[in-house]
């Protein structure tokens, strides 16, 4: 009894091989192997055919395990890291502002909490516009700070709306809102795109490798791997070229993924490089508290001129009672209400330690992924368990017997299989699922390419050129670009005319008392047009002036 291990033990009786040698066991009953003298019954041939399919699927699973593991593990590590960065940034701001501003911060902490809540929502894939999130934050902050630097006055909700409208032209926070928007937008866009891209890669690999062998593929697999056993030469491996033709025919549709797959891998690589440099997520998140503090300091230093211009446009506010709740004087100290950290006090950014390591590891794993689907037949056939070595082209199974395999190896992809001698492939019927995967790869690569330019494809129509950093991708700052020193030329921004300022969406304002000291809330409205208090007087005087002509 000759026992051959193929995951199942197939025993060929010794007398059967004896009969075969005597020419008494012919192979007319075989459906897949050559109908010559054989040691296999019909049942054995069917069993071996099923085993060949299992071997084929196992080979694909083992070969693609590197892709699946890489995408799964890298996605988890980056996702945990980015979320932790956001949490640490909020914690840093709370500690910094509590120390600096005391109760003035703790009483109004909700506006800062909502900022980080929206940033988390954006990163997690929510339908959130970073431009609107940051714009709303600065609008809330200008109303808060304006009230606190003018404690001798009372401001109702309508007046604060007018303050916000004028802030768009007066720029009370200087250039900090623009700097923060550029830095945060491009970093968060790249981080979210990379995280989503890794998840997409994982899902596509899982879908592409969950396949089954068609009838023609199964027939070819049996002929190359187990027909030698039925001929009494179980140790004879298929010729390398025979194996390639069989695998290229079975994996014809998967090979068509190659172009879009390579584009996708390249885009992932380039976005990861951006995160190492100008789109550094660590620097962006950790600089939020510093830039906001500097913006508040700028408004305090220019509060007299800013208040005068606002009073001129919005009218004179009502004086506050003798002891206003907005008074910055607090029990427990004579601390100034607003100050910013000096350069030596500013929190140092962890410019890339953990992030650099994660990106380096990812790039090392992305490089060998290019061309995976086209090279998959070669990877399988290069395994000595699957096919004979190229050097043994005369001592291998050629599909009929021991000898050289004469047909040429076909090309890659579905169309190239029209002349495949081993697997009959219908090139007029592409696999629907593979075409869907090609579309998913194309969409993912396009999103990653836009992320490299600081653009979010989800909001490009509504924020063209400004919202998500689309118009700021060429900007550099010495505190958000590693290696860009203070001796570099400063960025110059052309002045914006009032007509170029976009109108804001109307939001609901809470109306039950003082907005910041009573509600500590975030609700406020954005009137589409802020009426200046002198406009009705001007119209009245105009009517008086022209009234004689009406008569």
């Amino acid at each position: 009894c000759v026992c051959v291990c193929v995951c199942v033990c197939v025993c060929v009786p010794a007398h059967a091989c004896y009969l075969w040698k005597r020419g008494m066991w012919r192979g007319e009953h075989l459906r897949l192997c050559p109908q010559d003298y054989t040691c296999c019954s019909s049942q054995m041939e069917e069993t071996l055919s099923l085993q060949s399919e299992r071997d084929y699927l196992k080979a694909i699973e083992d070969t693609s395990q590197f892709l699946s593991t890489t995408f799964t593990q890298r996605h988890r590590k980056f996702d945990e890291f980015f979320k932790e960065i956001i949490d640490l940034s909020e914690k840093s701001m709370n500690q910094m502002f509590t120390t600096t501003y005391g109760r003035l911060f703790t009483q109004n902490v909700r506006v800062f909490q909502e900022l980080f809540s929206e940033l988390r929502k954006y990163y997690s894939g929510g339908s959130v516009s970073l431009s609107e999130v940051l714009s709303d934050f600065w609008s809330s902050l200008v109303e808060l700070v304006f009230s606190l630097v003018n404690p001798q006055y009372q401001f109702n909700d309508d007046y604060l709306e007018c303050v916000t409208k004028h802030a768009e032209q007066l720029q009370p926070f200087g250039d900090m809102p623009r700097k923060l928007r550029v830095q945060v937008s491009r970093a968060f866009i790249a981080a979210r795109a990379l995280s989503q891209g890794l998840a997409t890669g994982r899902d596509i690999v899982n879908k592409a490798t969950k396949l089954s062998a068609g009838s023609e593929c199964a027939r070819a697999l049996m002929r190359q791997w187990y027909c030698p056993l039925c001929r009494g030469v179980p140790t004879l491996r298929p010729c390398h070229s025979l194996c390639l033709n069989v695998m290229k025919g079975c994996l014809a549709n998967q090979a068509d993924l190659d172009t879009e797959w390579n584009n996708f891998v390249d885009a992932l690589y380039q976005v990861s490089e951006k995160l190492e440099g100008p789109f550094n997520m660590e620097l962006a998140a950790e600089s939020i508290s510093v830039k906001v503090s500097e913006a508040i300091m700028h408004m305090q230093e220019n509060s007299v001129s800013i208040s005068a211009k606002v009073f001129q446009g919005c009218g004179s506010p009502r004086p506050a009672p003798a002891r206003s709740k907005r008074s910055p004087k607090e029990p427990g100290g004579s601390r100034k209400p607003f100050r910013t950290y000096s350069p030596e006090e500013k929190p140092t950014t962890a410019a890339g330690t953990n992030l650099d390591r994660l990106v380096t590891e990812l790039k090392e794993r992305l490089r060998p992924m290019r061309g995976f689907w086209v090279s998959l037949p070669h990877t399988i056939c290069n395994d000595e368990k699957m096919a004979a070595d190229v050097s043994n082209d005369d001592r291998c199974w050629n599909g009929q017997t021991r000898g050289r395999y004469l047909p040429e190896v076909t090309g890659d992809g579905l169309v190239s299989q029209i002349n495949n001698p081993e697997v009959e492939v219908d090139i007029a019927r592409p696999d629907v699922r593979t075409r869907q995967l090609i579309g998913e790869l194309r969409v993912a690569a396009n999103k990653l390419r836009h992320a490299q330019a600081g653009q979010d494809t989800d909001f490009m129509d509504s924020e063209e050129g400004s919202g998500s950093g689309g118009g700021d991708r060429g900007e550099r700052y010495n505190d958000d670009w590693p290696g860009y020193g203070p001796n570099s030329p400063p960025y110059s921004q052309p002045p914006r005319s009032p007509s170029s300022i976009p109108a804001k969406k109307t939001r609901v304002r809470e109306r039950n008392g003082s907005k910041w000291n009573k509600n500590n809330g975030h609700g406020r409205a954005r009137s589409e047009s802020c009426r200046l208090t002198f406009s009705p007087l001007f119209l009245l005087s105009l009517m008086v002036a022209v009234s004689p002509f009406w008569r």
Side-chain angles (χ1 to χ4, degrees), residues 248-249 252-253 256 410-420 423-431 435:
K248 288 191 175 188
N253 285 285
D256 285 346
T410 60
D412 302 313
L414 183 64
V415 176
S416 299
Q417 306 312 308
I418 187 171
N419 294 319
N420 192 313
V423 184
E424 184 178 345
V425 181
D426 187 356
I427 64 173
R429 298 181 60 184
D431 181 60
R435 302 304 129 178

Side-chain angles (χ1 to χ4, degrees), residues 95-362:
Q95 293 175 346
M96 176 181 177
F97 279 35
T98 299
T99 302
T100 306
Y101 306 126
R103 274 176 46 192
L104 293 178
F105 170 71
T106 57
Q107 289 176 345
N108 303 289
V109 69
R110 183 177 173 184
V111 65
F112 302 95
Q113 291 175 340
E114 289 191 359
L115 168 64
F116 284 96
S117 176
E118 291 299 302
L119 291 177
R120 289 188 185 91
K121 187 184 299 183
Y122 173 83
Y123 169 75
S124 300
S127 181
V128 177
S129 167
L130 284 176
S131 178
E132 291 184 6
V133 168
L134 294 172
S135 178
D136 292 347
F137 168 73
W138 290 113
S139 297
S140 303
L141 192 61
V142 73
E143 296 179 8
L144 168 61
V145 177
F146 185 80
S147 299
L148 295 175
V149 298
N150 293 282
Q152 67 274 27
Y153 297 107
Q154 284 184 329
F155 304 101
N156 59 24
D157 293 340
D158 292 334
Y159 198 97
L160 291 176
E161 289 179 12
C162 187
V163 171
T164 302
K165 182 65 177 180
H166 278 70
E168 295 177 354
Q169 303 177 34
L170 298 177
Q171 297 186 349
F173 297 124
D175 205 27
M176 284 302 161
R178 183 185 60 84
K179 284 188 176 183
L180 187 64
R181 173 175 57 82
V182 173
Q183 188 177 6
V184 168
S185 294
R186 62 192 186 184
F188 271 76
I189 289 171
R192 183 170 88 157
L194 179 65
S195 179
Q196 292 179 342
L198 293 173
T200 299
R202 174 200 62 203
D203 295 340
I204 287 178
V205 170
N206 291 337
K207 294 176 184 177
T209 55
K210 292 295 187 295
L211 44 83
S212 59
S215 58
E216 289 299 322
C217 174
R219 182 186 298 271
L221 292 172
M222 172 62 188
R223 282 200 302 263
Q224 74 161 351
W225 280 336
Y226 290 112
C227 284
L229 185 149
C230 292
R231 290 298 302 273
V233 283
T235 60
L236 196 61
R237 298 286 179 236
C239 296
H240 193 267
S241 297
L242 168 63
C243 178
L244 286 178
N245 276 337
V246 172
M247 290 302 162
K248 288 191 175 188
C250 291
L251 298 170
N253 285 285
Q254 280 68 29
D256 285 346
L257 292 170
D258 191 64
T259 300
E260 294 302 332
W261 173 261
N262 290 341
N263 292 337
F264 170 70
V265 172
D266 290 343
L268 275 175
Y269 191 95
Q270 292 160 4
V271 169
S272 65
E273 283 191 320
K274 287 285 189 179
L275 284 169
E276 281 185 308
F279 293 12
N280 191 296
M281 179 70 166
E282 278 186 303
L283 286 174
E286 293 180 358
S287 67
I288 292 176
S289 58
V290 177
K291 281 185 167 61
V292 171
S293 183
E294 290 177 351
I296 295 174
M297 185 65 183
H298 183 278
M299 183 170 179
Q300 184 205 10
E301 293 174 347
N302 298 275
S303 60
V304 175
S305 60
I306 292 172
S307 298
K309 293 176 181 178
V310 171
F311 294 160
Q312 182 182 3
C314 298
S316 299
R318 291 188 304 167
R323 289 285 297 180
S324 172
K325 291 184 180 181
R326 294 187 182 90
S327 176
K329 295 181 180 180
E330 304 175 21
S334 58
R335 172 174 64 246
K336 291 184 178 180
F338 300 109
R339 72 172 182 89
T340 186
Y341 281 109
S342 61
E344 60 272 10
E345 289 178 302
K346 289 181 180 179
T348 55
T349 58
T353 52
N354 292 332
L355 183 58
D356 279 350
R357 184 167 63 252
L358 287 175
V359 170
T360 299
E361 292 173 353
L362 175 62

Side-chain angles (χ1 to χ4, degrees), residues 5 20 31-32 36 48 100 134 140 186 302 306 315 336 338 343 363 374 408 428-429 433 470 488:
C5 293
W20 166 59
R31 297 183 302 105
L32 304 177
D36 205 339
L48 292 172
T100 306
L134 294 172
S140 303
R186 62 192 186 184
N302 298 275
I306 292 172
K336 291 184 178 180
F338 300 109
K363 291 194 297 184
V374 164
E408 295 184 357
R429 298 181 60 184
R433 185 175 62 174
S488 303

Side-chain angles (χ1 to χ4, degrees), residues 39-80:
C39 295
C40 292
S41 64
S42 298
Q43 183 179 0
M44 290 170 58
E45 184 186 43
E46 183 178 352
T47 301
L48 292 172
S49 177
L50 295 176
Q51 182 61 40
S52 67
E53 291 185 42
R54 287 192 290 268
D55 293 345
Y56 164 70
L57 298 178
K58 183 65 165 56
I60 294 176
E61 180 183 354
D62 292 345
T63 307
S64 63
Q65 188 64 39
F66 169 76
L67 297 182
S68 179
T69 301
T70 295
F71 282 118
T72 300
Q73 292 182 351
R74 293 303 105 185
H75 173 261
R76 186 184 70 251
K77 287 183 177 294
F78 272 99
D79 186 57
E80 292 175 351

